[in-house]
Amino acid sequence: MKLDAKIPTGDLKDKWKNYQSHCRLINPANKRKLDIIVVGSGLAGAGAAATLAEGGYNVKCFCFQDTPRRAHSIAAQGGINAAKNYQNDGDNTWRMFYDTLKGGDFRSREANVYRLAELSAPLIDHFAQQGVPFAREYGGVLANRSFGGVQVQRTFYARGQTGQQLLLASYSQLSRQIAAKKVQMFSRHEVQEIVVIDGKARGVIVRDLVSGELSRHSAHAVVLATGGYSKVFFLSTLAMNCNGSAIWKAHKKGALFASPSFTQIHPTALPQGSETQSKLTLMSESLRNDGRIWVPKNKDEKRAPNDIPEEERDYYLERRYPAFGNLAPRDISSRAAKERIDAGYGVGPLKNAVYLDFKHSIARLGKDTIKSRYGNLFEMYLKITGIDAYTEPMKISPAPHFSMGGLWVDYELHTTLPGLYAIGECNFADHGANRLGANSLLQASVDGYFILPLTIGNYLADDLKTGKISTDHAAFSEAEASVKNKFEKIVNNNGTKTVDSLHRRLGKIMWQECAMSRTKEGLEKAIREIRELREEFYKEVKVTGKIQEFNQELDKASRLVDFLEMAELMCVDALERNESCGAHFREEYQTSDGEALRNDESYSYVSAWEFKNVGNFILHKEELKFEFVQPSVRSYK
């Protein structure tokens, strides 16, 4: 299989312009002849569904939540990046492009990353016109703050609820198209299989999560906007129902899976409090603008944090990375926290956290200013922990968060399965081996609003004479039968173990061996244990209830089937890459001072995996060519 990224010719700043000048277009009258399925209704999915429908296409949109307003995009609290240089601090498109490329440890395509930066400025105007209540300076100009991995202020925000406000704007646009009957919205429906006819994605099999009924839906193209897969770790910052099933099913039907081991550990989550916990709470990275991170210098410190004098505190990020300090990138900040915790300097009942302290910022700026920037985050922390972070430092800890890996897509966001597109977090395209903070909302939005609605026409132009695609085709019958067989196998299994107990064990394997640091021996051990756990699942899982009813245990079991297969590929990918880069930190490959040791000569490529059967994958490589930037040692010191 030859991977063609379809990168346009020309200078870096002209590539997207050149693409738009030469891609095929479909007039509005002809768009009415074409059907598109959008799976997911977060920022990427809602933006795509609304924009495609407004352009004339007939759209069906599916989400497993009871309303698109509950999509996980609301959890991205801190902000959205854009190179508008409102602060006059030297920002521009090139600088944002370079920060993102460097932040991803030079493991992403130049062309995609530059387009992300290029489209960031008009996106902010787009959302402002939709009524997003961005924070503003006294004179009315939109306000900015910094995020990790940059030395300028380019993050636009709405207090600590930016994702929610952006999603409400996108939901408004989607609702308008639903009312116009250009979008059919199916909430509480989950895609169970991708239907392929003559080598092209032509539809989906969907389960109504309330009634349990299966239904068939056809289209000329299918768009996945289903988010990331870090729930494979069980404990994560993701909502409980987040999963990787849609992209895994697409992978098994022919879509290559790229960089599956590149998963991000966020440095600013609330620490795990007990073995029975099933969810971790994300505290926005924006807090690192004004909060200072530290641990006591004394391993056996018993005093309350406010009683520990300054000279006995280790502000370890400021010590190790003075140029960026508390705004070092997420992968570096998480590993630095892990190093301090593993060395015995952790705080809290389980000694698994570090302090995030606002004392100095409150003294410098005043409590009212801090409250205006992060008030809802402080309220959330108080409700969960009972601690007032205005008067006592927060306790934070690293936690599984974002997925840089995902379905391989070309410049058009087209997967290797013709007719199937992947947008937002479920593709691999823009972030390389580490995502910079506040680029998540950006990528999801530009993919859905600006890129896909144009690029999908390049494919659909050949489908104008195809006509409606019948769901009576044998491929739909076969796909539906395979879904029924899977459900029956799970429900009829008379085991003794719950889905959550097995998922929790998978999460522990992955957290120990394929999270913040990995080793050859640990990854080989993990692969063996995952295979054993997969066999145990089919022998021992117990799912109560029936298929034809509201059955959340069955939903969870179905998703765990996919995680048990996906987890093995994540470990295989991590084992194959004998280097350290970004979120992929192999302990065998590090510098003398504990930093990642990249190997550009041997591993400057995107690993794209082909599925043969369970546990059997074939590696394809997309060589990364850097025409405009030469990869350098990634230093934030």
Side-chain angles (χ1 to χ4, degrees):
M1 183 181 294
K2 179 176 174 55
L3 294 176
D4 180 8
K6 299 179 184 175
I7 297 173
T9 58
D11 192 72
L12 189 60
K13 69 179 186 303
D14 296 325
K15 289 184 182 295
W16 179 234
K17 187 191 307 178
N18 290 344
Y19 178 87
Q20 294 176 86
S21 299
H22 296 94
C23 68
R24 301 169 73 185
L25 301 177
I26 303 173
N27 75 56
N30 282 333
K31 286 178 180 177
R32 292 195 292 269
K33 303 174 184 177
L34 297 167
D35 303 322
I36 300 175
I37 285 172
V38 178
V39 185
S41 60
L43 269 179
T51 307
L52 290 167
E54 192 165 11
Y57 294 107
N58 305 305
V59 179
K60 288 183 178 180
C61 185
F62 299 87
C63 71
F64 61 63
Q65 297 92 347
D66 57 352
T67 168
R69 294 194 308 275
R70 293 189 184 274
H72 195 60
S73 298
I74 65 169
Q77 304 152 326
I80 178 170
N81 286 335
K84 292 183 79 71
N85 195 32
Y86 281 170
Q87 303 300 319
N88 195 28
D89 54 4
D91 199 16
N92 54 48
T93 299
W94 177 269
R95 192 178 296 278
M96 183 173 173
F97 153 71
Y98 183 78
D99 286 344
T100 302
L101 197 69
K102 174 186 174 183
D105 225 348
F106 302 97
R107 290 294 176 262
S108 52
R109 291 189 202 121
E110 284 183 326
N112 285 69
V113 176
Y114 190 88
R115 180 174 63 182
L116 181 76
E118 179 183 3
L119 293 177
S120 66
L123 182 70
I124 296 302
D125 298 334
H126 175 83
F127 275 128
Q129 290 160 3
Q130 286 185 346
V132 173
F134 288 118
R136 293 180 181 267
E137 303 290 358
Y138 178 78
V141 177
L142 298 185
N144 292 120
R145 57 190 177 202
S146 295
F147 258 61
V150 304
Q151 292 181 306
V152 297
Q153 292 178 297
R154 67 164 64 106
T155 304
F156 294 77
Y157 63 97
R159 295 185 74 184
Q161 51 185 245
T162 313
Q164 181 177 6
Q165 295 300 329
L166 298 185
L167 184 62
L168 288 173
S170 300
Y171 175 67
S172 298
Q173 298 300 106
L174 178 61
S175 296
R176 179 169 170 266
Q177 295 305 315
I178 293 171
K181 301 189 184 307
K182 290 299 294 180
V183 174
Q184 286 182 265
M185 188 71 221
F186 296 83
S187 58
R188 290 183 174 175
H189 284 70
E190 186 166 24
V191 168
Q192 303 296 326
E193 190 60 275
I194 309 294
V195 179
V196 178
I197 300 175
D198 298 329
K200 297 180 179 181
R202 291 301 199 187
V204 292
I205 305 297
V206 177
R207 181 170 186 263
D208 184 327
L209 297 181
V210 177
S211 68
E213 294 181 1
L214 297 178
S215 57
R216 306 174 181 184
H217 301 268
S218 65
H220 297 92
V222 177
V223 180
L224 297 186
T226 53
Y229 51 89
S230 282
K231 198 63 186 169
V232 70
F233 294 96
F234 188 72
L235 280 174
S236 79
T237 65
L238 274 62
M240 292 300 293
N241 283 338
C242 289
N243 62 82
S245 288
I247 58 175
W248 190 250
K249 289 172 172 61
H251 174 55
K252 294 174 76 170
K253 284 297 180 76
L256 298 192
F257 202 127
S259 308
S261 66
F262 288 173
T263 53
Q264 184 171 79
I265 310 301
H266 198 292
T268 318
L270 299 191
Q272 181 180 0
S274 73
E275 281 294 314
T276 59
Q277 194 168 334
S278 56
K279 172 76 174 71
L280 297 174
T281 301
L282 174 67
M283 299 303 293
S284 171
E285 182 181 320
S286 62
L287 293 168
R288 294 200 280 153
N289 270 279
D290 291 303
R292 298 178 70 191
I293 296 172
W294 62 277
V295 293
K297 291 182 178 179
N298 180 8
K299 289 183 181 181
D300 300 318
E301 184 60 68
K302 299 293 191 297
R303 289 172 291 182
N306 287 339
D307 295 333
I308 302 173
E310 285 292 316
E311 62 271 16
E312 296 181 39
R313 300 180 178 193
D314 178 14
Y315 294 93
Y316 58 87
L317 287 177
E318 299 172 30
R319 169 173 56 83
R320 293 184 60 179
Y321 308 103
F324 284 76
N326 297 294
L327 287 173
R330 290 177 176 179
D331 57 326
I332 288 173
S333 300
S334 292
R335 283 200 300 273
K338 179 180 186 295
E339 185 275 328
R340 289 291 81 192
I341 291 169
D342 289 349
Y345 295 94
V347 301
L350 301 182
K351 304 282 283 183
N352 63 344
V354 299
Y355 288 127
L356 179 61
D357 197 341
F358 292 85
K359 178 180 70 174
H360 299 91
S361 292
I362 291 174
R364 177 169 52 90
L365 301 169
K367 179 179 176 180
D368 288 345
T369 298
I370 298 301
K371 188 174 183 179
S372 70
R373 294 176 179 175
Y374 318 106
N376 60 307
L377 298 174
F378 279 67
E379 291 170 12
M380 183 170 70
Y381 187 82
L382 177 63
K383 288 179 180 179
I384 294 172
T385 67
I387 296 173
D388 181 1
Y390 292 111
T391 60
E392 182 178 330
M394 291 182 180
K395 297 183 186 71
I396 58 169
S397 183
H401 181 55
F402 190 86
S403 309
M404 282 76 66
L407 295 182
W408 185 92
V409 292
D410 59 24
Y411 190 75
E412 297 182 317
L413 307 182
H414 203 173
T415 72
T416 51
L417 176 58
L420 181 74
Y421 290 77
I423 60 176
E425 189 179 352
C426 71
N427 73 36
F428 87 102
D430 294 340
H431 307 297
N434 173 65
R435 177 175 68 79
L436 293 185
N439 272 350
S440 173
L441 295 175
L442 172 62
Q443 185 215 348
S445 299
V446 297
D447 280 4
Y449 276 115
F450 292 167
I451 302 173
L452 177 83
L454 180 69
T455 62
I456 200 169
N458 219 26
Y459 170 80
L460 289 176
D462 289 327
D463 257 332
L464 291 175
K465 297 181 180 180
T466 300
K468 289 288 182 181
I469 296 166
S470 173
T471 56
D472 293 331
H473 193 284
F476 279 92
S477 300
E478 292 169 8
E480 185 175 341
S482 70
V483 173
K484 288 180 179 177
N485 290 338
K486 182 182 75 170
F487 285 156
E488 289 171 358
K489 185 177 181 181
I490 293 172
V491 169
N492 294 333
N493 194 62
N494 194 25
T496 60
K497 297 180 179 176
T498 65
V499 177
D500 280 353
S501 69
L502 294 165
H503 194 173
R504 193 182 298 275
R505 285 168 56 192
L506 173 64
K508 286 184 176 180
I509 295 170
M510 295 300 291
W511 177 251
Q512 184 65 35
E513 309 298 352
C514 196
M516 272 190 287
S517 61
R518 302 98 185 256
T519 65
K520 181 177 184 293
E521 292 74 19
L523 290 166
E524 290 172 341
K525 175 187 173 189
I527 291 170
R528 293 192 301 270
E529 291 179 346
I530 291 167
R531 290 173 176 171
E532 292 168 359
L533 186 61
R534 195 162 58 226
E535 291 181 13
E536 185 178 345
F537 171 87
Y538 286 110
K539 292 178 182 177
E540 297 294 336
V541 73
K542 176 68 174 179
V543 173
T544 56
K546 302 175 183 178
I547 298 174
Q548 296 290 330
E549 65 180 9
F550 179 71
N551 190 337
Q552 290 184 307
E553 284 301 302
L554 179 58
D555 299 336
K556 290 190 294 185
S558 176
R559 297 163 188 161
L560 183 54
V561 168
D562 299 319
F563 278 142
L564 285 165
E565 296 175 2
M566 183 188 298
E568 183 172 350
L569 177 58
M570 292 171 65
C571 294
V572 167
D573 183 58
L575 185 61
E576 186 276 336
R577 190 171 284 275
N578 293 317
E579 66 164 351
S580 289
C581 61
H584 172 63
F585 190 78
R586 283 282 295 273
E587 293 182 12
E588 305 96 325
Y589 306 99
Q590 57 180 301
T591 63
S592 57
D593 55 351
E595 302 297 337
L597 185 61
R598 213 175 59 230
N599 182 348
D600 291 334
E601 185 175 342
S602 301
Y603 293 96
S604 187
Y605 60 78
V606 174
S607 56
W609 296 90
E610 177 185 356
F611 181 89
K612 298 301 289 183
N613 48 56
V614 177
N616 183 10
F617 311 97
I618 297 175
L619 174 62
H620 302 273
K621 300 177 181 179
E622 180 199 342
E623 300 295 336
L624 292 170
K625 299 177 182 178
F626 295 95
E627 299 179 62
F628 304 95
V629 169
Q630 288 306 308
S632 58
V633 175
R634 184 171 172 246
S635 174
Y636 293 91
K637 296 183 177 183

